[in-house]
Amino acid sequence: MNYMARLSRVSSHLMTLTGFFHGIPHMRRPLPTEVRTNVVRHRILKCLERAGPHHLTEVSATLAVKKNTLSELLDRMVRDGLVARELSPDDRRVVRLRITPAGKSAIKEFERSLMDNIGQYLKGLDPEDRRDLVTAMEAMVRILERHERTTGAQFPL
């Protein structure tokens, strides 16, 4: 199986890896603000896609993002049509967040763009380094998935 096919099998987890590496304090260059915002937006959308409608506090706890930061970002995501706020059928005072069809499309587009960028980078590597890097990414995804299954926790952004 070629390296892009192998990467596509783990593509939905690449943002988890990005968030994981972004959290390493000794990284030399932080991600640009625009990229960081897109990573957080993607993680929010994936959270809502996976778990269904959530309250702001639940999303904040799941993603380890401060509520005030998340609230501002969600306001923009609602304006952009990626997320909708809806009243809970059980308690009209409770507002839940859910992903919209446009949000699901945004996930696909972001992951497609990510794969294109990674593919361009990998093309510049020699075949042995490319194979080793993809193998390492697959191993990291397995470890992160096992951690999430056993603890229910996600790596913070």
Side-chain angles (χ1 to χ4, degrees):
M1 179 182 319
N2 76 30
Y3 70 94
M4 287 305 289
R6 288 173 62 195
L7 270 180
S8 70
R9 290 178 43 221
V10 298
S11 67
S12 65
H13 302 286
L14 292 176
M15 293 317 302
T16 300
L17 293 176
T18 302
F20 173 73
F21 285 120
H22 177 64
I24 296 173
H26 61 275
M27 281 190 67
R28 292 186 183 264
R29 288 187 315 213
L31 292 171
T33 302
E34 179 184 325
V35 174
R36 248 190 346 261
T37 300
N38 286 336
V39 169
V40 176
R41 284 169 60 122
H42 180 269
R43 295 280 314 275
I44 292 167
L45 292 171
K46 289 297 280 188
C47 175
L48 294 175
E49 181 184 54
R50 241 185 281 151
H54 263 53
H55 186 271
L56 174 70
T57 304
E58 296 166 328
V59 175
S60 173
T62 300
L63 300 179
V65 176
K66 294 178 185 175
K67 282 197 289 188
N68 60 341
T69 301
L70 186 61
S71 182
E72 292 172 19
L73 188 53
L74 281 165
D75 286 344
R76 283 182 290 208
M77 293 174 74
V78 167
R79 277 194 306 271
D80 293 344
L82 304 173
V83 173
R85 289 186 173 103
E86 56 188 28
L87 297 176
S88 169
D90 301 328
D91 185 347
R92 294 181 55 87
R93 296 171 295 175
V94 176
V95 176
R96 311 233 357 127
L97 304 162
R98 75 170 168 75
I99 189 169
T100 65
K104 290 179 182 183
S105 293
I107 288 173
K108 290 178 186 164
E109 179 58 35
F110 190 78
E111 289 176 359
R112 189 172 25 258
S113 175
L114 177 68
M115 288 300 294
D116 289 346
N117 290 334
I118 290 171
Q120 290 300 315
Y121 174 77
L122 292 178
K123 280 182 188 178
L125 299 177
D126 69 55
E128 184 180 343
D129 287 343
R130 194 169 36 234
R131 184 193 68 238
D132 290 348
L133 183 60
V134 171
T135 299
M137 292 172 87
E138 290 171 331
M140 292 171 66
V141 166
R142 278 194 309 276
I143 292 165
L144 293 173
E145 286 177 332
R146 186 171 41 241
H147 173 75
E148 286 183 1
R149 275 194 311 274
T150 59
T151 66
Q154 290 187 1
F155 278 92
L157 296 172

